Amino acid sequence: MWLRTTLKAIATVGTVFGLFLGYFAWMLHQSEQAWLSRPTVPGRMLSISVEEGFRRNNGYWHVVPRYAYEVDGRAYVGDTLSNASKRELLIWNSQPSPELTRYLARYPVGATVPVHYNPGAPQRSVLEVSTGDARVFACVAGVLSLSAVLSVGGLLLLFVRSRRSGSHAR
């Protein structure tokens, strides 16, 4: 009986979370593809630093770029590095990691950089388009969905065995 209950729980949890994470992965993928298809213009780096930030009582390190660019003759200043958050929690890192500090050399002040912007809202821009996050959620959703399918298969096997043993008893 405990096996049947366990398989039902795994099937339910796997299905619910698999569907949720699958939907989230699909939405994230759509967002990534939208950023990849957006036009780029040359911009100029005004400043870049790695700073502390706080959100919901959690401190973190993050890259703060400032870059100037022009769309249709209108000047804009952007401050977003990527469509995906590049943050590191302070509780794990008392200093910014080498990965974050490499951005300082990657985008030197005064350098020309490609700026991805939203044609419908040119003030929304990023320097980099990250495309790996959707794959992570899709993999986790796949594993959860596979566990749900295997659990349902186990439940069907138990059902068939109980039917066969019930027909032999007669």
Side-chain angles (χ1 to χ4, degrees):
M1 190 59 139
W2 67 269
L3 180 61
R4 185 171 288 146
T5 305
T6 302
L7 288 174
K8 284 180 184 178
I10 292 171
T12 303
V13 169
T15 301
V16 169
F17 284 110
L19 288 172
F20 172 75
L21 290 176
Y23 176 75
F24 188 72
W26 180 77
M27 294 296 291
L28 199 53
H29 175 72
Q30 295 295 355
S31 172
E32 290 171 353
Q33 293 306 307
W35 274 110
L36 282 172
S37 68
R38 290 188 173 149
T40 59
V41 294
R44 186 174 48 85
M45 286 302 297
L46 301 174
S47 67
I48 187 164
S49 60
V50 178
E51 299 178 3
E52 285 185 42
F54 291 93
R55 185 172 186 194
R56 295 189 201 133
N57 296 328
N58 288 321
Y60 57 88
W61 294 107
H62 65 123
V63 178
V64 181
R66 284 186 40 87
Y67 49 91
Y69 62 102
E70 196 174 291
V71 176
D72 296 329
R74 187 158 180 205
Y76 296 94
V77 174
D79 62 0
T80 306
L81 177 65
S82 174
N83 60 312
S85 177
K86 305 277 189 205
R87 295 180 179 173
E88 297 174 345
L89 291 176
L90 286 171
I91 60 172
W92 292 331
N93 299 315
S94 60
Q95 296 294 315
S97 71
E99 181 183 348
L100 283 186
T101 55
R102 276 193 285 269
Y103 283 104
L104 304 178
R106 194 172 181 179
Y107 295 107
V109 173
T112 300
V113 293
V115 177
H116 300 264
Y117 70 94
N118 182 341
Q123 69 278 9
R124 293 194 59 212
S125 63
V126 298
L127 293 179
E128 297 181 351
V129 177
S130 175
T131 59
D133 295 341
R135 278 183 251 144
V136 171
F137 283 101
C139 287
V140 173
V143 167
L144 288 171
S145 298
L146 179 63
S147 71
V149 168
L150 292 174
S151 296
V152 168
L155 285 169
L156 286 173
L157 184 65
L158 288 174
F159 177 75
V160 168
R161 281 189 175 174
S162 70
R163 287 290 193 199
R164 283 187 182 163
S165 64
S167 65
H168 290 299
R170 289 180 190 172

